[in-house]
Amino acid sequence: MNTEKLDIYDITIIGGGPAGMYAAFYSGMRAMRTKLIDAKEELGGFMRTYPEKLVWDVGGVDPIHCEKLIDSLIRQAKTFDPTIVLGQEIARMERRDDNVFVVTSKTGESHYTRTILLCAGRGMTQIQKLHIEGASRYELNNLHYTITDLSRFKDKRVLISGGGDSAVDWANEIVKLAKQVTVVHRRDEFTAHEQPVAQMKASAKIMTPYIISRLYGAGDRIESIALEHSETGAIEHIEADEVVVNHGFDRDFGDLLKWGLDKEDYGVSVDPRMRTSIPGIFGAGDFITYGSKVRLIAGAFNDAVLAVNSAKLYLEPTASDMAGVSSHNERFNEKNKAIMHE
């Protein structure tokens, strides 16, 4: 096949969450021709599930609503004009004799690239819903699996079920507005980070170890909930105006895990330089795992930098180990002039 007639990129990033978006920016700093592909019709990845949530742990950024952080990351990702392809779930991968990868979407489009960076995050997530008879009829009213408008909880009695980071973070946000917040978890210990858990315990009513066993309502609104003690089976009843369930997500990576990549229980294995078991394919963000992996947005940014640097060296072994810092990087000269002019 004549490679001159093909549109071949230096790097193709699969996944448009924080790792993928920052990688698109950083690969531009490295003067790499970049394509970013996401299965959804908008960038943002898993962060789109909690747009109203306040994010505190990104370096140098004041507490910011997730939706605004996504907007900033999108603008940054577009700094060097990468090609962005939305609505294409990548399925197949093959390497040609000339070492060019061909990745093909489920809709049949093919993309040609010299390296691949997998930033698939948590994959195509599906919310774990309540498996309780009749629960679905309340979903359009006061049973919530995600939150897009915090104001609806003002002066309400709110019950939250879950013990992970999202459930705890929502409790800490909602308690500022609600009349009362009760957090129910099936175990005594919460899996979220220590400080938010301590904050939640100081401001919300905690009921452990309990699970939701039945919902009682009128029409399409929940009015009260039966809670069952996980150890004794004893039943407690509590009235609530709004119910938030955050029991996690089922992860589906589609065909990406069929490529022959080494993997562990929680992600595709990479080495300290974000290299997978297949030369030329790299990983970043929640999709990957390694010994010192940090599962924070800030950690995804660092993964992205390491992965892009490795991809650059894979293509050009004599290239510098990293991009020049922005204050001295000639890629920003004209952009800095434009900003100063404004």
Side-chain angles (χ1 to χ4, degrees):
M1 187 177 291
N2 187 350
T3 58
E4 296 301 320
K5 295 180 179 179
L6 297 176
D7 196 11
I8 302 174
Y9 285 77
D10 295 321
I11 186 168
T12 293
I13 302 161
I14 299 175
M21 288 188 285
Y22 195 73
F25 165 73
Y26 191 78
S27 61
M29 289 182 67
R30 302 235 58 179
M32 300 174 75
R33 189 159 183 260
T34 302
K35 178 180 282 188
L36 172 60
I37 304 174
D38 196 88
K40 297 181 180 178
E41 294 294 343
E42 57 184 355
L43 297 175
F46 189 72
M47 292 192 297
R48 290 283 181 191
T49 61
Y50 42 85
E52 284 287 325
K53 183 176 172 181
L54 275 175
V55 178
W56 287 74
D57 51 7
V58 176
V61 177
D62 289 333
I64 182 173
H65 282 107
C66 199
E67 189 170 39
K68 291 185 178 180
L69 180 58
I70 293 170
D71 291 341
S72 294
L73 284 168
I74 290 173
R75 289 194 298 272
Q76 185 182 49
K78 293 179 177 179
T79 301
F80 298 105
D81 300 316
T83 297
I84 297 176
V85 178
L86 300 176
Q88 289 193 27
E89 181 180 351
I90 296 301
R92 299 192 308 277
M93 177 276 296
E94 61 180 330
R95 190 200 294 265
R96 303 186 324 170
D97 291 340
D98 59 1
N99 277 331
V100 170
F101 290 101
V102 184
V103 291
T104 306
S105 73
K106 287 190 173 181
T107 51
E109 292 85 350
S110 292
H111 306 273
Y112 300 86
T113 184
R114 294 184 173 88
T115 64
I116 298 170
L117 174 49
L118 297 172
C119 300
R122 304 187 187 191
M124 301 291 285
T125 55
Q126 294 292 327
I127 294 171
Q128 292 184 11
K129 295 188 175 184
L130 277 179
H131 297 297
I132 295 176
E133 184 179 356
S136 60
R137 72 172 179 266
Y138 303 116
E139 291 178 10
L140 296 178
N141 204 315
N142 63 341
L143 173 59
H144 313 280
Y145 293 105
T146 187
I147 296 171
T148 57
D149 181 10
L150 282 171
S151 65
R152 71 173 298 132
F153 301 104
K154 183 175 175 58
D155 300 325
K156 301 286 186 64
R157 298 167 299 174
V158 183
L159 182 139
I160 300 175
S161 178
D165 288 307
S166 292
V168 172
D169 289 344
W170 283 132
N172 288 329
E173 291 298 318
I174 293 172
V175 77
K176 302 170 187 176
L177 300 170
K179 180 179 180 180
Q180 181 186 44
V181 172
T182 301
V183 179
V184 176
H185 184 41
R186 59 193 173 98
R187 293 191 295 267
D188 288 321
E189 298 299 321
F190 290 82
T191 58
H193 295 293
E194 296 92 336
Q195 194 281 330
V197 170
Q199 180 183 344
M200 174 190 68
K201 289 182 175 180
S203 57
K205 179 182 178 181
I206 308 300
M207 295 186 67
T208 60
Y210 281 92
I211 61 171
I212 296 175
S213 63
R214 189 169 179 181
L215 303 173
Y216 298 91
D220 59 358
R221 285 194 62 83
I222 298 168
E223 294 182 337
S224 65
I225 303 100
L227 303 175
E228 179 181 342
H229 194 281
S230 299
E231 297 171 356
T232 67
I235 299 295
E236 297 276 348
H237 292 270
I238 183 172
E239 295 182 347
D241 304 304
E242 306 284 345
V243 177
V244 178
V245 173
N246 197 291
H247 292 172
F249 296 80
D250 294 321
R251 303 193 303 164
D252 181 8
F253 294 109
D255 293 325
L256 295 183
L257 297 183
K258 298 178 182 178
W259 291 8
L261 298 158
D262 289 349
K263 56 184 181 294
E264 300 177 33
D265 289 341
Y266 200 85
V268 165
S269 303
V270 297
D271 68 11
R273 300 190 66 173
M274 304 300 113
R275 297 176 295 197
T276 71
S277 57
I278 299 178
I281 300 181
F282 308 86
D286 280 345
F287 183 65
I288 62 165
T289 189
Y290 55 94
S292 56
K293 173 65 183 167
V294 176
R295 298 196 180 280
L296 295 172
I297 293 173
F301 297 158
N302 190 63
D303 291 349
V305 169
L306 293 172
V308 169
N309 285 335
S310 291
K312 181 72 173 181
L313 290 170
Y314 174 84
L315 296 176
E316 301 176 31
T318 60
S320 59
D321 289 341
M322 60 176 285
V325 295
S326 60
S327 58
H328 296 84
N329 192 317
E330 62 182 20
R331 297 279 287 165
F332 291 97
N333 287 347
E334 294 304 317
K335 297 180 185 299
N336 287 337
K337 291 177 183 178
I339 292 173
M340 295 296 291
H341 180 73
E342 291 177 0

